[in-house]
Amino acid sequence: MPGGLGSRILYWLEIPRFLKTVVTLPLRLARHWPKRRTARRRIPVIVVPGFGFTDRSTLFMRRYLRRCGFDAQGWGLGRNMGRRTIGLHNECAIEAVERRVREAGRPVALIGWSMGGIVARMVARARPELVTRVVSLSAPFTGNPYANRAWPLYEKVARHRLDDPVASRQIARSKEPTPVRSLAIHSRSDGIVASDCCVETELPRTTNIEVRAGHFEIGFKPSVLRLIADELAPLAA
């Protein structure tokens, strides 16, 4: 299988695992929900949804981070339809971050889920002065671009072939580490993308953390959200 993509069993288990996580959230929250704000300053955070999803998909994550004291907001661009939403050269995504930086009066931390992580990394690479941190969740930003089960749908819906010259250049650049500190959270039990394609190059400013989670449940697991809050905590000290 390309790039370490897992078995089809993991793919078919994605929805059942997601539903189980959502159903058991009350029990998990009893152990992991923040009891008080841990951030001293309200650091601005933008959460970028995955391909085909809107800010509604990141609502729980943003509520958790706000509970920790971070000023977490959605990206405000509606449904993430790839190039049709972010622009051919990510100009719409960059403009959204620029607006947030102007409102906050300081650079922002970017959190991206799946394709949202790729978008966050591209923005940080293009405009590093706007970004303090990048956190990606199951984002296949390196390795084989076809090592996931979503690429046929992406090409059809986004109207953007992965072997297109512009896309090929963007994919090549996405393999490079971002100029700002980054955390890549990945899972070998992901049924949609290959975990090997979600791992950052080992550098002093990069961190990789492996968790056990499906692609659709990873953003709802309080233990994973705790990792994100811990990564952002130094910014608010």
Side-chain angles (χ1 to χ4, degrees):
M1 295 182 183
L5 187 60
S7 70
R8 293 196 66 85
I9 295 177
L10 291 174
Y11 171 75
W12 291 112
L13 286 175
E14 276 290 333
I15 298 302
R17 292 171 71 184
F18 165 74
L19 293 176
K20 179 182 177 182
T21 295
V22 172
V23 168
T24 59
L25 264 181
L27 294 177
R28 295 172 183 268
L29 292 179
R31 298 193 302 268
H32 295 282
W33 190 250
K35 298 297 189 298
R36 58 184 176 81
R37 290 182 176 178
T38 55
R40 297 179 183 176
R41 295 189 298 160
R42 291 187 62 78
I43 299 300
V45 177
I46 296 177
V47 184
V48 185
F51 178 68
F53 289 88
T54 69
D55 284 333
R56 289 185 178 181
S57 67
T58 66
L59 182 60
F60 177 73
M61 185 187 305
R62 288 182 280 124
R63 283 182 173 173
Y64 183 100
L65 293 174
R66 284 199 291 269
R67 175 71 177 179
C68 291
F70 300 102
D71 186 8
Q73 297 186 16
W75 76 332
L77 291 180
R79 193 173 301 279
N80 186 348
M81 303 297 282
R83 180 178 70 172
R84 294 167 58 186
T85 305
I86 65 176
L88 181 59
H89 299 287
N90 312 302
E91 59 272 15
C92 297
I94 292 173
E95 289 172 4
V97 174
E98 287 177 331
R99 287 194 295 272
R100 184 73 184 97
V101 170
R102 286 196 297 270
E103 293 170 357
R106 66 180 69 177
V108 303
L110 297 180
I111 302 171
W113 190 344
S114 191
M115 183 190 167
I118 298 176
V119 174
R121 291 171 59 86
M122 290 192 295
V123 171
R125 188 173 292 107
R127 298 291 302 278
E129 74 280 8
L130 301 177
V131 182
T132 55
R133 286 283 198 286
V134 172
V135 178
S136 60
L137 286 77
S138 292
F141 54 80
T142 189
N144 184 349
Y146 297 99
N148 65 80
R149 293 192 167 94
W151 73 264
L153 179 64
Y154 172 82
E155 289 194 335
K156 180 178 181 179
V157 174
R159 301 169 191 166
H160 191 198
R161 289 180 57 87
L162 296 180
D163 58 2
D164 164 284
V166 173
S168 295
R169 287 194 295 271
Q170 292 173 338
I171 290 170
R173 288 211 65 194
S174 74
K175 304 176 190 296
E176 303 171 4
T178 64
V180 303
R181 180 173 173 80
S182 65
L183 166 63
I185 300 175
H186 61 101
S187 171
R188 294 190 183 279
S189 59
D190 192 310
I192 303 297
V193 304
S195 175
D196 294 348
C197 297
C198 305
V199 178
E200 181 67 276
T201 302
E202 294 288 349
L203 292 172
R205 67 176 182 273
T206 64
T207 304
N208 296 295
I209 298 180
E210 182 179 344
V211 299
R212 186 171 182 80
H215 194 77
F216 296 126
E217 69 172 330
I218 193 169
F220 289 89
K221 299 194 76 166
S223 57
V224 173
L225 301 185
R226 182 72 262 168
L227 293 175
I228 298 174
D230 288 345
E231 175 67 19
L232 301 181
L235 299 175

